[in-house]
Amino acid sequence: MSVPAAGLALLGSLFFALGAALQQFEAARVSPAVLARLIRRPRWLLGGLAIVAGTALHIVALKYGPLTLVQPMGVASLLFALPCAAALRRRRPARGELVSAAVIATGLVGLVLVVPVHAGEPRLTTAEAVVLLAAAAAVALALCLTARRASPAARACLLATGAGVLYGATATLTRVLVDGEWEFWFLLAVPMPALIALALLQRAYAVGHFGVAFAALQVADPLTAVAFGALLLGEPLPTGPASMITALVAAALVAAGTAALARTTPMSPSHEATAR
């Protein structure tokens, strides 16, 4: 049953990458890149549908294979995203971009595999849910303020990281809604961080360094979910010398790959930053 799971997860990663590339292509052409304007762009909406399809395929993949197989396959979206973005701009992805993306993907797989699988029922009290949302909002706001004075590549990274933190908070709440005990207002609260994250991500895409922004999102989202899971849901973290060394090496690969990607990935052409 693992082969269908791997195939579905890879196909889902391709759809997710294509959707992200389409949305970034449009975000770089609209000024300002706000949702009210982007939702009127058919290609941006098509990108959203592709992301939804990719997410659905990953969910289906989990029915045919274990999380330890499906999650690493999801990392492939980073490797698919750069060729998709380059194709939209009618250029070939630089070798340095692909190498940097491969290094990041390798690090992400390492981080994903060392996190123990938690089979318990997630529980979140009202106070803990408030702490979750407040902490995610505070971190995202701090990253946004820091991004104002950063270089273009760093700004894209910081804004996308803020979006990833908010998506990680959304994933934590969603996990409680699906498998645990929850209050009714949790259901109403879930769309809030997700919508803010979506808007923040479009601002990151509009900067032009798509590879950096997408990589930052891919890193921040799962790590935030793991952190909140450990702090609020009692989920385990890696333990033991081997796991800790693997996690440190994987984190170093992610950091080195992201830094290299910031130097190699080109900005979108300046004319694409202007609305038609």
Side-chain angles (χ1 to χ4, degrees):
M1 300 292 279
S2 294
V3 174
L8 287 169
L10 282 174
L11 185 60
S13 295
L14 177 58
F15 272 95
F16 192 87
L18 178 60
L22 286 168
Q23 290 197 332
Q24 191 274 335
F25 186 80
E26 290 300 317
R29 293 158 62 105
V30 174
S31 181
V34 294
L35 293 179
R37 298 185 60 145
L38 290 169
I39 59 175
R40 289 180 260 173
R41 313 279 291 199
R43 189 152 33 191
W44 189 88
L45 291 173
L46 182 62
L49 289 176
I51 291 172
V52 170
T55 302
L57 284 167
H58 273 275
I59 293 172
V60 174
L62 288 171
K63 293 185 176 294
Y64 294 95
L67 188 65
T68 52
L69 172 69
V70 174
Q71 276 191 323
M73 292 295 173
V75 173
S77 59
L78 180 59
L79 301 177
F80 293 142
L82 294 178
C84 288
L88 286 171
R89 290 177 171 77
R90 299 182 181 180
R91 68 171 181 86
R92 291 183 179 180
R95 181 178 298 179
E97 288 182 89
L98 297 179
V99 171
S100 299
V103 170
I104 297 171
T106 301
L108 275 174
V109 169
L111 290 173
V112 164
L113 291 179
V114 298
V115 176
V117 177
H118 182 59
E121 183 180 271
R123 296 184 179 181
L124 204 61
T125 66
T126 295
E128 288 170 337
V130 171
V131 169
L132 168 72
L133 293 172
V139 172
L141 179 59
L143 290 168
C144 287
L145 293 176
T146 305
R148 291 182 176 182
R149 299 182 180 180
S151 65
R155 185 161 65 252
C157 181
L158 290 168
L159 291 172
T161 299
V165 168
L166 291 170
Y167 276 133
T170 303
T172 304
L173 271 179
T174 302
R175 190 156 69 251
V176 173
L177 288 173
V178 172
D179 296 322
E181 297 179 2
W182 45 277
E183 303 290 337
F184 179 74
W185 75 269
F186 290 8
L187 191 63
L188 302 177
V190 164
M192 216 173 14
L195 285 174
I196 297 172
L198 180 61
L200 201 56
L201 185 60
Q202 303 315 304
R203 287 182 56 192
Y205 285 164
V207 175
H209 287 274
F210 174 62
V212 176
F214 193 70
L217 176 69
Q218 292 289 95
V219 173
D221 184 352
L223 291 188
T224 299
V226 168
F228 280 135
L231 292 172
L232 298 176
L233 303 181
E235 296 180 350
L237 287 174
T239 57
S243 294
M244 295 304 295
I245 291 173
T246 301
L248 288 173
V249 172
L253 287 173
V254 169
T258 303
L261 194 59
R263 292 194 298 269
T264 57
T265 186
M267 286 192 68
S268 302
S270 57
H271 67 83
E272 291 186 355
T274 304
R276 289 184 174 182

